[in-house]
Amino acid sequence: MVEFVAGAASGFVADGVTHPVDTVRTRLWVQGEGTAYKYSGLIHGTADMIKKEGFHSLFKGFGSVALLTPLAHGLYFGSYEWFKRTLGHQKGGLGLGDSSNAMVSGFFANGVGGLVWNPMDVVKQKQQANVGSLYKSALNGLIEVWSEGGISRGLMKGYWSGMATYGPFSAIYFMMYENWKAACLRWNTKHARQDELNTAHYVAGGFIAGSAAAVATAPIDLIKTRIQVCDHYSGMYSTAVRIIKEEGYGVFTKGLGARILWVAPGCAITIAVFEDIRKLCSTASDFGSDGYSGIEMPTVAEGSSATV
């Protein structure tokens, strides 16, 4: 329950901060002959949107994020920790190696969170890509998407391409992040530092791991976005072939900077808030059981797998 609450809070904060970049990134990836805009990059897109549509246009689609991302992130982090315990070396676990455990747990955790993220993304990205008002509200958007395409062709459209994107993303991200924490703890121990990580460690680790995962999965994310937003794209392979044929391989690098500036800070904020809230909850729990506040702060190893 602690992981769910911490995940829900961290996801809401991070998505709120990075939403404007996500909006421009979405437009960079869906723009073409049928769109009313043509941006050369992140800065041009941001300036053009503010000039023509107002600053508030950068927050298009945030209603669906505010409605669903806390639940999605809660399920994501909660299931990640559950999979780690189930697959790891803890009593009753399957004994999977630490790095492999982080990758497999991250992959399947994304599948769980994606059950909520996918409907959110479909509505959010349609609003972001559209010039003007598309839905009356986030709930209205969900209802309209469902009425037009049902579950498989509406709310869950692009789920498997999303898994192909963010399953590997989460696997890479958590493997690198857990190894970063382990390396930091070893450095602290070697230099006689306190056996505990702080917010700066979490922010740096989240940013580095998020950047690497963002670059590695950018091409498939572009394909996923086209499938979810544009009506005339269907199927990962056919979409990839069509994009390459019509726009060339260079299109896969378009919006990459925006993706990194969206994903990496988002990962840094999310994991730092998550770790700090979990630490606070653990401290509060110890305080309630021990009846005094002069206790040691829990180490990272106590809250998660520090050796990966």
Side-chain angles (χ1 to χ4, degrees):
M1 187 62 183
V2 170
E3 286 85 3
F4 181 90
V5 173
S10 64
F12 182 81
V13 172
D15 283 359
V17 172
T18 59
H19 190 83
V21 179
D22 179 38
T23 299
V24 181
R25 188 269 318 177
T26 297
R27 289 197 174 189
L28 284 169
W29 280 1
V30 302
Q31 65 183 2
E33 294 182 2
T35 58
Y37 44 82
K38 187 73 173 178
Y39 307 139
S40 60
L42 175 62
I43 296 176
H44 177 222
T46 302
D48 193 70
M49 286 188 68
I50 294 174
K51 179 180 179 180
K52 295 179 179 179
E53 302 172 62
F55 182 79
H56 67 277
S57 65
L58 296 174
F59 288 89
K60 280 176 171 287
F62 185 69
S64 60
V65 174
L67 180 66
L68 295 176
T69 204
L71 175 60
H73 274 88
L75 291 172
Y76 177 61
F77 279 104
S79 60
Y80 172 70
E81 294 297 334
W82 183 85
F83 279 119
K84 273 209 308 181
R85 290 190 294 269
T86 303
L87 300 175
H89 293 292
Q90 293 90 336
K91 184 177 181 181
L94 297 181
L96 199 63
D98 293 324
S99 289
S100 298
N101 186 5
M103 295 185 72
V104 174
S105 297
F107 183 90
F108 285 110
N110 182 78
V112 176
L115 296 173
V116 180
W117 268 320
N118 204 88
M120 180 194 82
D121 275 345
V122 171
V123 173
K124 178 197 72 172
Q125 290 175 157
K126 283 180 177 292
Q127 289 178 296
Q128 290 173 320
N130 186 69
V131 175
S133 180
L134 186 61
Y135 304 122
K136 296 178 181 178
S137 65
L139 185 59
N140 172 253
L142 291 167
I143 293 172
E144 284 202 25
V145 170
W146 177 78
S147 64
E148 292 171 1
I151 300 297
S152 62
R153 296 180 180 231
L155 294 175
M156 298 306 292
K157 184 179 181 180
Y159 174 79
W160 294 112
S161 60
M163 272 298 295
T165 303
Y166 288 106
F169 175 95
S170 295
I172 295 169
Y173 172 77
F174 277 115
M175 183 271 292
M176 291 190 67
Y177 177 70
E178 297 286 9
N179 274 286
W180 165 267
K181 289 202 301 182
C184 289
L185 281 172
R186 287 194 297 269
W187 192 92
N188 282 357
T189 301
K190 181 179 179 181
H191 293 82
R193 299 288 185 92
Q194 185 178 8
D195 187 21
E196 180 183 326
L197 301 185
N198 57 39
T199 303
H201 293 106
Y202 305 143
V203 169
F207 191 93
I208 294 170
S211 296
V215 172
T217 58
I220 192 66
D221 193 22
L222 185 148
I223 295 170
K224 175 193 76 74
T225 302
R226 292 284 181 95
I227 292 173
Q228 290 182 321
V229 177
C230 305
D231 294 332
H232 49 285
Y233 287 95
S234 176
M236 291 180 61
Y237 178 75
S238 60
T239 297
V241 170
R242 178 177 174 179
I243 289 173
I244 294 171
K245 182 179 180 180
E246 296 180 355
E247 304 172 57
Y249 288 98
V251 71
F252 291 109
T253 63
K254 187 172 290 185
L256 180 59
R259 174 170 168 77
I260 295 173
L261 288 177
W262 165 52
V263 171
C267 287
I269 295 170
T270 301
I271 201 67
V273 175
F274 171 79
E275 296 277 22
D276 284 340
I277 290 179
R278 182 168 62 171
K279 186 183 293 186
L280 286 172
C281 289
S282 297
T283 302
S285 176
D286 289 342
F287 177 82
S289 61
D290 293 350
Y292 68 103
S293 58
I295 56 176
E296 294 183 359
M297 290 288 287
T299 65
V300 173
E302 291 172 335
S304 62
S305 178
T307 305
V308 292

